[in-house]
Amino acid sequence: MKNYSTRDREKAIFALVMGLIAIVLAAWLAFMPMEAHTEPDTVYEMVNQRISWEGAGYSGIWGGAK
């Protein structure tokens, strides 16, 4: 039989218990149902969504300015 100090055994038990708590907590957070998505109070249009770049000298992302 090996000689183990009480302190080493306590550390091992503490580490085991903390590991088990971490595993249970991670599993609970992973499988916990999330809140349903709620609708916002106000919705704003995207700024400048109706701007036309035609005639502005922009020829697209591939370049070739004229």
Side-chain angles (χ1 to χ4, degrees):
M1 184 170 155
K2 294 183 179 181
N3 294 326
Y4 290 105
S5 71
T6 306
R7 191 81 168 153
D8 289 341
R9 186 174 179 157
E10 288 175 358
K11 286 181 182 178
I13 291 172
F14 179 76
L16 179 65
V17 169
M18 294 309 279
L20 288 174
I21 289 172
I23 290 171
V24 169
L25 183 62
W28 180 68
L29 290 173
F31 296 111
M32 182 178 72
M34 303 306 277
E35 283 188 27
H37 179 72
T38 58
E39 293 297 320
D41 293 336
T42 58
V43 177
Y44 299 102
E45 287 186 9
M46 186 175 78
V47 180
N48 298 335
Q49 70 179 352
R50 293 188 182 97
I51 290 179
S52 172
W53 290 97
E54 296 171 358
Y58 179 72
S59 58
I61 61 173
W62 304 114
K66 294 178 183 178

